[in-house]
Each structure stands twice: as C-alpha cells, then as structure tokens.
Amino acid sequence: VRAMRHLAPIFARQKSGAAVSVSTYAAREPELTYPLSAVFRAALSGFLKLCVARHGGEGWRINAVLPGFVDNYPSKPEALAKIPMGRYAAVEYEMGATIAFLLSEDPGYITGQGLLVDGGLVRAI
C-alpha cells in the first residue's frame, strides 16, 4: 500500500507504470500454519484489484507473484513433501525472472493478477 502511494504520482505523470508485489500462495489457499500472513495477503490481493479497477484505464499494470516455498529459507522435509515439483523455487531464477517478465512490456495486457509461482503447491482450481 505504501509503495503504491509513492508510485501513484509517478505513474500518473508518465501515464503508465507497472508494479509487482510479492505475496504468498496463502493468499489463494490459506494455511493454519500462517494464519496472519494468509489474511493480510488476501487483503493485499483485494487492494491490488481495487488499484487496477481505479487506474487500469490509465495504463497502470499492477500484479502480484504468489510464491510457494523459496530457497532463501532452509528446506524442510514436510514442506517439500507438499510440493509436486519436489523442490523450493529459486529466488534468482524463478522468482526474479517472473517479476522481471511482469515488469517488462511483454505482458502488456496482464493486470490485476496474482501469479502462482509455487511448483504446483496450490491445488485450488
């Protein structure tokens, strides 16, 4: 929310802009292990949707990545067992490349989305 407050005048001046927030898979599929995080991240998803509804016509693209477990934390066997790909996401490659893509001009019509980068962890359809 604070970042968007700072970006809003810049995006308005240049009549375009792209922003990506890093959230969590729990925004889509809450877990009892992370109750507070799940609630706050679901609220963040709602905020991003409202920003797009308000500013999408002004050329703003606002998205989120929803990572599962990422290799900047120690691997836990119980977490690995839940991930169909059997490993954590790589910060530099999977996370960085996905964010760079969403910030580039290539996804010009993608906005208001929460993109799961979770190795198949979330099973919701």
Side-chain angles (χ1 to χ4, degrees):
V1 173
R2 286 182 186 159
M4 285 310 302
R5 286 185 181 152
H6 290 287
L7 290 171
I10 297 164
F11 287 6
R13 242 187 340 268
Q14 58 193 34
K15 298 186 184 344
S16 69
V20 175
S21 70
V22 179
S23 186
T24 175
Y25 72 94
R28 290 259 181 88
E29 194 170 287
E31 273 199 35
L32 289 173
T33 311
Y34 310 104
L36 232 47
S37 177
V39 170
F40 289 130
R41 304 311 174 98
L44 174 62
S45 295
F47 174 75
L48 295 176
K49 290 285 189 179
L50 292 172
C51 284
V52 168
R54 172 77 169 87
H55 299 288
E58 300 167 30
W60 300 20
R61 290 183 300 108
I62 305 165
N63 294 292
V65 291
L66 309 178
F69 296 96
V70 182
D71 69 0
N72 59 337
Y73 285 99
S75 179
K76 294 180 182 176
E78 61 274 11
L80 280 174
K82 296 179 188 179
I83 305 167
M85 290 191 80
R87 64 178 179 81
Y88 283 20
V91 170
E92 289 184 34
Y93 179 70
E94 279 112 359
M95 297 307 302
T98 302
I99 293 166
F101 168 72
L102 289 171
L103 291 172
S104 76
E105 296 298 320
D106 292 334
Y109 201 60
I110 298 175
T111 192
Q113 301 305 306
L115 181 60
L116 286 163
V117 183
D118 68 347
L121 177 67
V122 172
R123 290 169 176 68
I125 296 174

